[in-house]
Amino acid sequence: MYDVISIGAATVDIFVKSEQFVVKDNLLGLEYSSKNEISQSLICSGGGATNSSTSLSRLNLKTACLSLLGNDPLSLYVFNDLKDNSVSTDLLVHDDKELTDYSVILVAQDGGRSILTNRGSTRLQSPNVNWEKLSLTNWLYITSLEGNIDLLEQIIGFAIEHGIKVSLNPGNRELSQLPRLLPLLPHVDFLLLNKTESEHFNESQLRIPAITAVTYGREGAYVFVDDKKFFSPIINTSPVDETGAGDAFGSAFVGGLVHHLSPQEALFWAIKNSASVVSYLGAKHGLLNLLEIKQ
């Protein structure tokens, strides 16, 4: 049995930070045809499924990652990174005809970033899912399925049949199909959105899942539970890179629930984990372990 299985994207992320990046009028750029020095760089696995499963694993939970990879050197990088973080790779699927997705992430001095993503055809489909193994968990942590609402409906229906709790962090492609997404929300135990994503919903719709969290970046986060609303500001920190803050927040929140915390206590874990992640380059280096997050 697993405590949590994370479902969604797996990528290789290439981070580049330079003191010569210029931020102006909401644009991140460099002088055209210039040569510039890199101040920090990092290559690591990324994507919502690998980030969340690694985070949950560090909280002493038994986790697995369900993602579709290509059959190339990048896929081996993701595979080995998950193994190194004690995440089960039994549900990973390789497509011999495709390349693994990757992203180049340009990080500004204030920790803000712009992301260039190369998406192949590694979108999960129903035949990629080992449904028998998927039943061997207490929670499913579902991140973006790249707009595959058919699969999302199938997974949530499967969870209902098998008494599995569901955490959902939809992407823009799922949110663009709101008429199909809304009927699924009563069957979601935890919904995670950022401020922009939450604008697709009214407040009554945000209260349909058992628990909903809305993150407001550097302002903090709200959690809705029944008729109650909790708020936590962020922990003061100097951000190095904001990539992965949402994954760190949501996974720590679910990790707290699995460890039998109240939603208000789980919110503190989530805020603390995301604050740690943005203090490092990359989405995994700052993830807290169980002893650290309890301090």
Side-chain angles (χ1 to χ4, degrees), residues 63-287:
T63 66
C65 179
L66 169 56
S67 298
L68 180 60
L69 302 172
N71 189 12
D72 55 6
L74 292 183
S75 70
L76 292 176
Y77 196 97
V78 174
F79 181 89
N80 290 330
D81 204 11
L82 290 172
K83 294 288 284 187
D84 289 344
N85 283 285
S86 301
V87 176
S88 172
T89 57
D90 289 349
L91 280 82
L92 288 179
V93 183
H94 294 265
D95 187 334
D96 291 341
K97 298 179 181 179
E98 297 298 336
L99 299 176
T100 302
D101 296 350
Y102 67 90
S103 297
V104 178
I105 301 165
L106 308 179
V107 184
Q109 288 303 300
D110 65 354
R113 77 279 191 265
S114 295
I115 303 176
L116 303 169
T117 300
N118 178 58
R119 296 197 186 278
S121 299
T122 52
R123 186 173 88 156
L124 278 170
Q125 305 291 345
S126 181
N128 303 132
V129 180
N130 185 323
W131 296 98
E132 182 178 353
K133 289 185 178 179
L134 198 67
S135 68
L136 303 176
T137 189
N138 296 313
W139 275 85
L140 296 175
Y141 191 100
I142 308 171
T143 62
S144 174
L145 300 178
E146 299 184 37
N148 193 343
I149 291 287
D150 290 339
L151 179 59
L152 180 60
E153 290 173 340
Q154 192 172 359
I155 290 173
I156 290 180
F158 182 88
I160 294 169
E161 292 175 8
H162 290 82
I164 300 169
K165 292 186 176 182
V166 174
S167 167
L168 177 62
N169 181 200
N172 289 330
R173 296 185 189 182
E174 286 82 35
L175 293 169
S176 68
Q177 303 175 69
L178 204 58
R180 295 186 64 186
L181 184 61
L182 284 175
L184 301 177
L185 296 187
H187 309 291
V188 171
D189 297 277
F190 173 60
L191 175 67
L192 173 63
L193 303 166
N194 62 34
K195 178 180 180 294
T196 302
E197 292 164 346
S198 72
E199 292 169 355
H200 289 80
F201 306 86
N202 58 48
E203 187 162 309
S204 64
Q205 291 169 332
L206 290 177
R207 293 179 182 271
I208 292 174
I211 306 171
T212 297
V214 180
T215 59
Y216 279 70
R218 299 181 185 185
E219 297 176 30
Y222 285 93
V223 170
F224 301 87
V225 186
D226 299 323
D227 59 344
K228 299 177 182 178
K229 181 166 69 172
F230 304 106
F231 174 76
S232 174
I234 65 168
I235 297 172
N236 288 330
T237 185
S238 298
V240 173
D241 168 30
E242 296 177 349
T243 306
D247 294 331
F249 181 99
S251 56
F253 193 99
V254 170
L257 297 180
V258 177
H259 280 289
H260 308 294
L261 298 186
S262 69
Q264 198 165 11
E265 292 168 326
L267 174 58
F268 177 72
W269 275 26
I271 287 288
K272 191 171 183 181
N273 204 36
S274 58
S276 179
V277 161
V278 302
S279 301
Y280 296 82
L281 195 64
K284 291 186 172 66
H285 280 224
L287 293 171

